[in-house]
Amino acid sequence: MFDQLSGDKPLNGPDSDRLGFRAGADALARSLLNQRAVDGLVVGVEGPWGSGKSSFLNMVVAILRSDINSFTYAIEYRPWLIGDSKDMLLSLFADLAIAVDAIEAIDGDPSSQNRRQVGDTATQITRFARRLGGVGMLARAAGVLVPGAAIAGDILQALAATSNDWLSDRSLLGEKNDIRKRLSKLKKRIVVVIDDVDRLEPIEILEVFRLIRSVADFPNVIYILGYDADIVKKSIGSVIQLDSGQQYLEKIVQVSINVPKPEPLDLRFWFRSEIEALLPAPIDDLTQISNFDSIIDFEVGRYLKTPRQVVRCLDSIRIFWDLLIYKVDIVDLVWINVIKAGNIDLYNWIERYISIVSVYATGQYLVDEGDKAELINRLQLALSVEGGQADAVADRLVEFLLGIEDNIIGGTTKLDIFADFSRETLYNFIRAKRLSSPDHYRLYFALDQPKNSPTNDDYAALIEAAADSSERVESILIEWLQIRLSTGISKAEIIIARLSDSYTNSSFHISESILFAMSNNLDLTSNMNMDEPNIWSEGRRLTKRIIGGLGHEREETLKRLFQGRAIEWLTTILRSDLFAHGRVDQRPRSSETLLEPHELDMVSRLMIDRYRRMDLASWRNLKRPLNGLFAWLQAGDPDEPKAFLKTASRTDDGFVAVLELLSSRVFTAKGSRPTLQRTTLSHLLDYDLCRDRIQALAMSSTSPELQTKAGELLEMFERGERS
């Protein structure tokens, strides 16, 4: 892929004309072929940086050189590779000498007299350059070089007026005239192309133009200079202390032309063809095709105005193409890189917004209104440079990013961020590896997935382990439960959430292994909070997906599942279905059910049997014992759990332990605190009797330890009565 990077290199020759330069380059080349240039000619090809001057000049040179009957010999002179002004002078004259020597050799004149004449001309040019360079140095040493003077004519005149001792018996002016006569007899014209003059330092720019002026009147020599006129005029003006170097430039450059401006459609077609050439296969997804077409029409047309911008954007995509091609959505990759080329503030805003969305999408984070307002302000600043197209650019954000939508308020359309989106929409972005995918967004910006984020290899490893045994899956899930993403949630939770959106049964054995391994370990995530762990909700969704895909094995699988190691998570599934079937509040919600009615009956019997076999110590080991007691109460004979608790409360120690089981937690500004609520306790025991008994123990128990615990429980009663 690196050999495809342009590195800001210009296009070479007419065969690579992607910018519509061929006609203009051909016209200039033909005019040079027809130009007599008796007294020399200086042509300026002007255009701002990135406009394609170098590509245009390359095309002119290629056309000149391709004509076997051409009356020109092209030289590409590069002053920025040379040292001081003397070296520039010697290098240019050396190139001229080589050109003179080559012209007659190409013409094939075999006469020894002609070859001697040619050799004499080349030698004379070289000698003249050495003398001129030396005299220029002497002139500077003697203080006779006036500001703004040319290297040749003005120096020679100044020296002639100062001291003839510095000149040999034959004056430089006379030698120059001899060279002019010899050059006028050449059968071809020499075209000297000097590109990127504007990239030199100001003093160097002035030296180049002085150098050209010194030899501009050589017959059959044409100079083509490529430069940004504004930069050159400013640089010359700063050195010779003029407001503008315009007049100076006009004295040297006889003809100036603007580099042809590429047609917007040419730039778009070029960009599109380069991207399509990178693709391993044509895009066939209709949504991707539509998105790609819209990027070419809107973002590329809006942001890539010059050839250089096209090249730089293509290189930013090419350099990481091999690394990312199968890891991201290619169309989104193109989109964000074009945005980067055209509006860096908007690019930075998108990166920040998506990083927050990746956390927001987990359901574990609520966006602070202050942060939201600050982000909207930053977005408005980024869009302010878009002028009249700001609304159109904003609409593109709605199309490409999660959680952004247009809201019409009072007849005015306003952009809203962090808007709600469905799990299905989120999964579609993840599955397609889109820019807004929480699992993939960092690849677009940092070339790496979010820290500890699941990869395709992780899913493959899970399926491979499931094909072997549920025990292997368990070991993987236990490891992933310990790995935390930057969002704070475990890697296991993300894996289960993704599977709950996308899992398809590849085989009964694999499905069963994943289901049992997950179920057996979800109790490890239990907590004492009021709300169940989010991973349990994801686990329920995955269980519903797997069970829903089973055939005749379904009932037996459910039986084995509810006889497994887990009890707290399975209790949550039982209670959820009891409510969904309307068996608790007589309000059935069929869309939320996991089990069929007869399956719920079977599962209820299995779980009640497990509750019956648990002693008080087993209940106390649970983090959410109240949930299990209510499941027992709601799924079977309500007198059974009441009787169990009454029996366990016969001793004071047992009574204290039972009340601890029945406590719940309230959340305040100071944090969560345990409480005993009348609405909860009265379903299982007599609230008033329990309160009176614990108050008596707190006041008169002979056991200091028991008295302390009773006092704490009494505070829980009082806290519950205040809440």
Side-chain angles (χ1 to χ4, degrees):
M1 185 58 63
F2 287 102
D3 60 351
Q4 298 181 31
L5 296 180
S6 296
D8 204 25
K9 295 191 296 291
L11 301 177
N12 290 304
D15 292 337
S16 57
D17 182 22
R18 302 186 180 100
L19 306 175
F21 285 170
R22 175 60 190 260
D26 192 70
L28 178 58
R30 298 306 167 193
S31 68
L32 296 178
L33 291 172
N34 298 326
Q35 177 65 41
R36 292 185 60 195
V38 175
D39 294 320
L41 178 66
V42 181
V43 178
V45 175
E46 300 179 349
W49 284 359
S51 61
K53 293 187 300 297
S54 297
S55 297
F56 179 76
L57 290 174
N58 282 351
M59 198 166 293
V60 171
V61 172
I63 293 171
L64 291 174
R65 289 174 175 170
S66 66
D67 190 340
I68 59 175
N69 298 315
S70 174
F71 289 97
T72 63
Y73 184 93
I75 298 171
E76 294 178 87
Y77 178 64
R78 297 176 172 83
W80 56 90
L81 299 178
I82 305 168
D84 57 22
S85 58
K86 178 183 176 182
D87 292 331
M88 285 189 200
L89 179 77
L90 293 174
S91 177
L92 175 60
F93 276 69
D95 286 344
L96 288 174
I98 292 171
V100 169
D101 209 7
I103 286 173
E104 293 299 339
I106 293 172
D107 286 344
D109 188 333
S111 70
S112 58
Q113 181 181 1
N114 184 69
R115 288 185 177 277
R116 185 168 56 253
Q117 288 176 347
V118 171
D120 289 346
T121 303
T123 301
Q124 191 171 9
I125 290 174
T126 303
R127 183 174 62 246
F128 176 74
R130 291 198 184 103
R131 294 184 65 197
L132 185 58
V135 170
M137 294 177 67
L138 288 172
R140 285 179 173 80
V144 300
L145 179 58
V146 296
I151 287 181
D154 293 344
I155 292 176
L156 297 177
Q157 292 172 8
L159 285 172
T162 306
S163 173
N164 289 327
D165 294 338
W166 287 347
L167 301 177
S168 65
D169 58 334
R170 181 171 179 78
S171 73
L172 283 173
L173 289 174
E175 191 163 349
K176 179 180 179 182
N177 288 331
D178 282 351
I179 293 174
R180 284 176 49 81
K181 292 177 183 179
R182 290 176 181 269
L183 289 175
S184 67
K185 296 177 182 180
L186 288 178
K187 297 178 181 180
K188 291 180 181 286
R189 285 175 288 283
I190 300 172
V191 178
V192 182
V193 179
I194 307 177
D195 190 15
D196 288 333
V197 177
D198 48 13
R199 292 182 181 273
L200 297 169
E201 294 294 326
I203 186 64
E204 294 172 332
I205 291 176
L206 183 61
E207 292 288 359
V208 168
F209 278 95
R210 283 173 171 171
L211 175 60
I212 298 302
R213 181 180 175 186
S214 71
V215 291
D217 58 348
F218 277 174
N220 283 323
V221 180
I222 301 173
Y223 297 88
I224 306 179
L225 311 180
Y227 54 85
D228 183 322
D230 290 337
I231 293 176
V232 166
K233 287 184 287 187
K234 183 178 180 181
S235 296
I236 292 174
S238 68
V239 176
I240 61 178
Q241 299 179 346
L242 297 174
D243 292 338
S244 171
Q246 176 71 33
Q247 291 181 339
Y248 186 94
L249 192 61
E250 290 175 350
K251 287 181 179 181
I252 299 172
V253 178
Q254 289 107 324
V255 178
S256 63
I257 62 172
N258 291 325
V259 65
K261 188 174 182 180
E263 292 290 335
L265 287 178
D266 289 334
L267 293 176
R268 295 181 204 177
F269 179 79
W270 174 23
F271 184 89
R272 184 188 193 108
S273 62
E274 291 290 329
I275 295 298
E276 289 178 341
L278 293 173
L279 296 172
I283 300 173
D284 55 7
D285 180 82
L286 294 179
T287 300
Q288 281 192 310
I289 292 173
S290 175
N291 286 344
F292 185 55
D293 289 343
S294 67
I295 291 169
I296 300 299
D297 289 340
F298 187 78
E299 278 81 12
V300 173
R302 177 162 183 76
Y303 295 128
L304 306 185
K305 301 289 190 181
T306 69
R308 176 167 291 129
Q309 289 174 328
V310 171
V311 168
R312 288 175 62 85
C313 186
L314 285 171
D315 279 352
S316 71
I317 296 170
R318 285 192 187 105
I319 193 168
F320 300 117
W321 186 269
D322 288 342
L323 177 64
L324 298 178
I325 184 170
Y326 297 111
K327 296 181 179 180
V328 300
D329 179 274
I330 292 303
V331 175
D332 278 5
L333 180 66
V334 171
W335 182 72
I336 194 62
N337 275 278
V338 178
I339 293 290
K340 183 179 182 181
N343 188 335
I344 189 64
D345 289 335
L346 182 59
Y347 171 87
N348 291 332
W349 184 90
I350 291 172
E351 181 179 13
R352 183 179 179 191
Y353 171 74
I354 295 177
S355 68
I356 299 175
V357 167
S358 70
V359 186
Y360 176 71
T362 66
Q364 306 292 306
Y365 176 76
L366 294 178
V367 180
D368 180 82
E369 287 299 319
D371 292 340
K372 181 176 179 179
E374 188 264 342
L375 269 175
I376 290 177
N377 287 337
R378 286 182 176 272
L379 176 58
Q380 290 172 342
L381 285 174
L383 292 175
S384 64
V385 301
E386 301 290 349
Q389 289 293 309
D391 288 343
V393 174
D395 288 341
R396 301 292 287 165
L397 301 181
V398 176
E399 294 180 39
F400 279 86
L401 303 179
L402 272 175
I404 298 183
E405 60 183 30
D406 287 326
N407 287 333
I408 299 177
I409 303 175
T412 303
T413 301
K414 292 188 177 181
L415 207 62
D416 188 25
I417 61 177
F418 302 114
D420 291 337
F421 46 82
S422 68
R423 287 185 62 99
E424 181 181 2
T425 300
L426 173 63
Y427 170 66
N428 287 337
F429 271 73
I430 294 170
R431 180 179 58 185
K433 307 170 188 175
R434 296 287 305 274
L435 178 62
S436 285
S437 162
D439 294 356
H440 301 90
Y441 78 93
R442 275 182 56 84
L443 284 165
Y444 292 84
F445 300 99
L447 309 178
D448 193 14
Q449 289 184 283
K451 183 179 180 182
N452 296 326
S453 178
T455 66
N456 290 337
D457 290 342
D458 290 328
Y459 292 105
L462 187 71
I463 297 299
E464 180 184 350
D468 185 15
S469 67
S470 63
E471 288 75 19
R472 278 192 61 192
V473 179
E474 281 194 45
S475 65
I476 292 175
L477 288 178
I478 289 173
E479 176 186 348
W480 286 347
L481 282 170
Q482 310 308 313
I483 298 175
R484 296 286 164 176
L485 279 66
S486 56
T487 58
I489 62 179
S490 71
K491 184 173 182 177
E493 180 174 336
I494 292 295
I495 290 282
I496 291 172
R498 301 294 180 261
L499 288 174
S500 69
D501 286 318
S502 63
Y503 182 77
T504 55
N505 293 301
S506 53
S507 78
F508 170 68
H509 175 67
I510 290 175
S511 299
E512 189 179 53
S513 294
I514 293 174
L515 181 61
F516 290 169
M518 176 188 69
S519 176
N520 286 338
N521 288 282
L522 282 184
D523 275 12
L524 297 175
T525 64
S526 182
N527 57 45
M528 294 182 291
N529 294 337
M530 180 182 299
D531 297 326
E532 66 181 43
N534 191 64
I535 192 172
W536 286 13
S537 300
E538 302 297 348
R540 175 181 169 83
R541 295 179 71 248
L542 179 55
T543 300
K544 185 174 183 177
R545 192 176 188 96
I546 291 177
I547 292 296
L550 298 181
H552 65 277
E553 314 98 336
R554 175 179 170 121
E555 187 167 332
E556 182 61 27
T557 300
L558 283 170
K559 183 176 180 180
R560 292 178 56 205
L561 178 69
F562 280 86
Q563 290 175 326
R565 280 205 313 270
I567 189 164
E568 295 202 76
W569 177 66
L570 293 174
T571 293
T572 298
I573 289 185
L574 171 60
R575 290 198 69 196
S576 295
D577 258 65
L578 287 171
F579 278 93
H581 282 272
R583 297 191 180 184
V584 176
D585 56 4
Q586 287 73 52
R587 289 184 298 165
R589 297 174 286 278
S590 58
S591 62
E592 300 176 12
T593 61
L594 184 153
L595 305 169
E596 298 294 331
H598 71 281
E599 293 170 342
L600 178 57
D601 293 338
M602 177 190 70
V603 166
S604 295
R605 291 192 297 270
L606 292 173
M607 293 300 291
I608 288 173
D609 186 58
R610 295 182 67 181
Y611 299 145
R612 287 170 178 164
R613 295 198 304 270
M614 293 172 61
D615 58 17
L616 185 60
S618 298
W619 283 101
R620 295 185 68 185
N621 285 334
L622 301 181
K623 291 184 178 179
R624 303 168 68 88
L626 197 58
N627 196 43
L629 290 169
F630 268 91
W632 189 3
L633 181 78
Q634 293 160 348
D637 184 351
D639 291 333
E640 279 192 299
K642 293 178 182 179
F644 167 75
L645 294 175
K646 185 176 181 180
T647 300
S649 300
R650 287 175 180 172
T651 66
D652 289 340
D653 287 329
F655 174 62
V656 168
V658 165
L659 289 184
E660 289 175 339
L661 288 181
L662 300 180
S663 67
S664 56
R665 303 188 76 82
V666 294
F667 294 85
T668 67
K670 297 181 179 179
S672 66
R673 307 186 69 181
T675 181
L676 285 164
Q677 301 275 354
R678 178 183 290 272
T679 53
T680 300
L681 191 60
S682 59
H683 285 287
L684 296 163
L685 293 173
D686 187 303
Y687 177 86
D688 293 320
L689 288 178
C690 289
R691 194 189 189 291
D692 291 344
R693 183 177 175 182
I694 206 68
Q695 185 172 15
L697 286 174
M699 296 177 61
S700 59
S701 174
T702 57
S703 168
E705 181 181 357
L706 190 61
Q707 189 175 28
T708 299
K709 288 184 177 181
E712 292 172 350
L713 288 167
L714 183 59
E715 288 183 10
M716 293 184 199
F717 273 105
E718 294 170 348
R719 193 175 297 123
E721 290 165 354
R722 292 194 301 268
S723 64

